[in-house]
Amino acid sequence: MRACRELRPGVEIGITLNLGSITPGTDEQVDIDAAWRTDGNVNRIWLDPLFKGSYPDDMVELYSAYPPGFSVVQDGDLATISEPLDFLG
């Protein structure tokens, strides 16, 4: 974002994501939990770093069991990822 803004001041910069609307199939807790996990994988894993500067705790916990987990995220990465955007598509 910084490099783009330096090269093209005044140009609007954003990101377009393939997000989804996730709804539990029933009111059963198992479906509610599954919908939340799906939302984490489809939406929050992308949106939280962009707009909150962190990954969702439940996704970090889930993926920590699978190498490399989030060990690939380096110091300063989230600050770069969460630079202000002009739009979300």
Side-chain angles (χ1 to χ4, degrees), residues 56-73:
D57 290 338
D58 60 324
M59 293 293 100
V60 171
E61 181 179 339
L62 175 67
Y63 286 112
S64 291
Y66 304 97
F70 283 83
S71 65
V72 296
V73 179

Side-chain angles (χ1 to χ4, degrees), residues 17-64:
L17 300 172
N18 188 19
L19 303 173
S21 177
I22 312 301
T23 305
T26 71
D27 291 336
E28 298 292 325
Q29 191 62 48
V30 66
D31 286 341
I32 293 168
D33 293 345
W36 183 248
R37 274 190 311 279
T38 301
D39 181 68
N41 281 292
V42 173
N43 298 317
R44 293 180 293 113
I45 204 161
W46 307 107
L47 295 171
D48 283 15
L50 286 169
F51 297 108
K52 295 181 177 180
S54 62
Y55 286 99
D57 290 338
D58 60 324
M59 293 293 100
V60 171
E61 181 179 339
L62 175 67
Y63 286 112
S64 291

Side-chain angles (χ1 to χ4, degrees), residues 2-26:
R2 286 185 209 146
C4 290
R5 291 188 193 285
E6 288 174 11
L7 289 171
R8 300 292 305 266
V11 172
E12 289 189 351
I13 304 169
I15 189 169
T16 299
L17 300 172
N18 188 19
L19 303 173
S21 177
I22 312 301
T23 305
T26 71

